[in-house]
Amino acid sequence: MSGSAAHVTPEAIQQVARALVRYGEAETAVVHTADAGVQQVADEVADEVKARQLKVRHADEALQACRREEDRDCSGLVQDLNKAEQALDQARQASTIVARAAAAFQMKRSKHMMTVQGLVDGGRARLRMNATDLAAYLGASSAGGVDFGTAGMGASPASAASGLAVPPGVPDGFALVPLSAIDPGDNPVTGPADFGKGYTAEDLAWGIEALHSVVLPALAIGKGADYFADRDAREGRFGTRSYSDTHSGFFNHDAVRLESSGDGRFTVGNGRHRIWVAQQRGDSVIIAKVS
Amino acid sequence: MSAVRNALDAHNIAAADRQRQEREMASAWRDAASHVVEVRFLEPLSLQDREFAAALAELDQQLSRAINLIR
């Protein structure tokens, strides 16, 4: 790094913070627009399935009526029924495509909202600290008069002490740590062959996905271990691919543990397998107990 | 234009706006504090942006496929 902080003002830092707030608000609107788009198509497809079911029924009734009459040629009605059934099949295929696309998007949407919320709120808190420090350095009264926005994407507080993003509802000491800030060190985990403790890389990838799509959103609204146990029972989940194991694995004694080096970097105390899997997934952050 | 395509465009605009501010920050503020902000928050956001843009594009493609089946 070169240059000096003397070239920047608290107001300049405030602009970046405002851009983060704007971005957070815009992303909330983006997600709502996408949700509305999915719902619109789902409704249209559902209406089409109903309409085509009705056409099949009418075509079938017409054919049955025809067949009750002696010596009548019903071949045209048979064709009509076949066409109506094919059209219904297509609408049902469309319905399946929409349902699958919506389910896949739902998981990515949850992860996006959670990650963006944490990073926006954390970034804003960090910038506020920087502006305060700079204002003091410049001899200004304080950066207290600088508006850093309060809208954000939710109620997630960030850890002002560490400057890391803290998702709402997680236990004390946990934060979202950028994978790019974690020193690889001499990581013995270099591939799937290095997984031998009762779980596979795929199991951990499942757990990370469940963490983002189910566990963190549930913690954000005040749910706990009982909720995860109940959901596991209802969905027939157990062991490594359960929400209970995911919750306890990430937040109890086996949590990912990172130590701050004091220069914005972190060394790994525990969780090298999960960090490796998160990197392979292309994740940007991992939840960890930070000291 | 579909609602999801609109959402994708809006997402790209929001990300570009944020990145423009980041570039301005980078040109005026190069010290350890700005590095921490970049590494901890801005770079992960850029990664997440790309991932979510891909998710929206995939969603739009699948919904268009479904619509084509019923029209």
Side-chain angles (χ1 to χ4, degrees):
Chain A
M1 287 293 152
S2 63
S4 156
H7 296 296
V8 70
T9 63
E11 290 73 23
I13 297 176
Q14 177 195 19
Q15 280 190 352
V16 181
R18 278 185 182 150
L20 273 179
V21 172
R22 272 203 309 277
Y23 168 78
E25 291 169 345
E27 286 303 278
T28 302
V30 162
V31 166
H32 288 160
T33 303
D35 287 347
V38 172
Q39 191 59 54
Q40 187 183 1
V41 174
D43 289 346
E44 188 175 340
V45 169
D47 288 347
E48 204 59 38
V49 169
K50 279 183 198 164
R52 293 182 186 192
Q53 283 172 332
L54 200 60
K55 279 187 182 170
V56 167
R57 204 176 83 201
H58 289 161
D60 189 47
E61 286 170 357
L63 179 60
Q64 298 310 321
C66 175
R67 282 175 174 163
R68 283 194 289 272
E69 297 177 28
E70 283 187 13
D71 301 329
R72 188 174 160 193
D73 179 11
C74 299
S75 57
L77 293 171
V78 170
Q79 283 183 351
D80 288 348
L81 178 59
N82 285 340
K83 275 187 191 170
E85 285 175 337
Q86 282 174 8
L88 176 58
D89 280 348
Q90 283 195 315
R92 284 180 172 151
Q93 279 178 41
S95 179
T96 302
I97 289 169
V98 172
R100 284 183 183 157
F105 179 68
Q106 183 60 35
M107 296 181 80
K108 292 169 183 170
R109 173 197 188 284
S110 298
K111 183 188 168 198
H112 182 65
M113 292 297 282
M114 186 59 64
T115 304
V116 169
Q117 177 181 311
L119 290 172
V120 165
D121 289 349
R124 213 175 61 215
R126 181 79 195 193
L127 287 164
R128 185 197 300 272
M129 283 172 55
N130 294 147
T132 303
D133 291 347
L134 183 59
Y137 172 77
L138 294 173
S141 55
S142 77
V146 178
D147 174 20
F148 280 81
T150 56
M153 298 186 68
S156 166
S159 164
S162 69
L164 289 168
V166 180
V170 301
D172 288 345
F174 284 85
L176 289 171
V177 179
L179 289 167
S180 59
I182 299 173
D183 287 326
D186 297 323
N187 192 351
V189 183
T190 58
D194 296 319
F195 288 74
K197 290 162 64 179
Y199 51 77
T200 64
E202 289 76 19
D203 290 335
L204 291 188
W206 185 94
I208 292 174
E209 190 63 51
L211 174 77
H212 287 291
S213 62
V214 174
V215 175
L216 287 176
L219 292 177
I221 56 172
K223 306 285 188 186
D226 290 348
Y227 170 78
F228 300 122
D230 181 56
R231 247 190 102 154
D232 285 335
R234 280 190 281 121
E235 297 179 21
R237 299 187 181 281
F238 57 89
T240 54
R241 298 200 181 197
S242 66
Y243 302 124
S244 294
D245 270 24
T246 302
H247 175 238
S248 62
F250 275 93
F251 293 108
N252 289 346
H253 65 278
D254 204 25
V256 175
R257 286 195 304 277
L258 299 173
E259 287 180 24
S260 173
S261 308
D263 58 354
R265 308 285 303 168
F266 296 87
T267 55
V268 183
N270 187 46
R272 294 183 190 280
H273 290 85
R274 276 167 286 183
I275 291 169
W276 184 85
V277 169
Q279 288 167 335
Q280 302 309 304
R281 281 165 41 93
D283 288 351
S284 52
V285 293
I286 193 160
I287 190 90
K289 189 165 179 59
V290 180
S291 57
Chain B
M1 186 178 280
S2 72
V4 173
R5 177 56 60 178
N6 283 336
L8 177 56
D9 288 347
H11 166 70
N12 287 332
I13 290 168
D17 174 61
R18 200 198 72 242
Q19 283 163 359
R20 184 176 55 75
Q21 287 292 340
E22 288 170 22
R23 282 194 298 275
E24 287 179 13
M25 178 188 85
S27 67
W29 181 27
R30 302 297 296 176
D31 65 359
S34 75
H35 181 64
V36 169
V37 172
E38 278 178 24
V39 169
R40 288 193 185 174
F41 303 103
L42 305 183
E43 288 174 8
L45 273 177
S46 293
L47 274 177
Q48 182 61 36
D49 275 341
R50 288 196 285 277
E51 189 179 315
F52 192 57
L56 284 170
E58 171 68 14
L59 177 66
D60 186 51
Q61 191 180 24
Q62 292 302 317
L63 295 184
S64 298
R65 200 175 137 216
I67 290 292
N68 286 337
L69 277 170
I70 61 168
R71 285 182 182 164

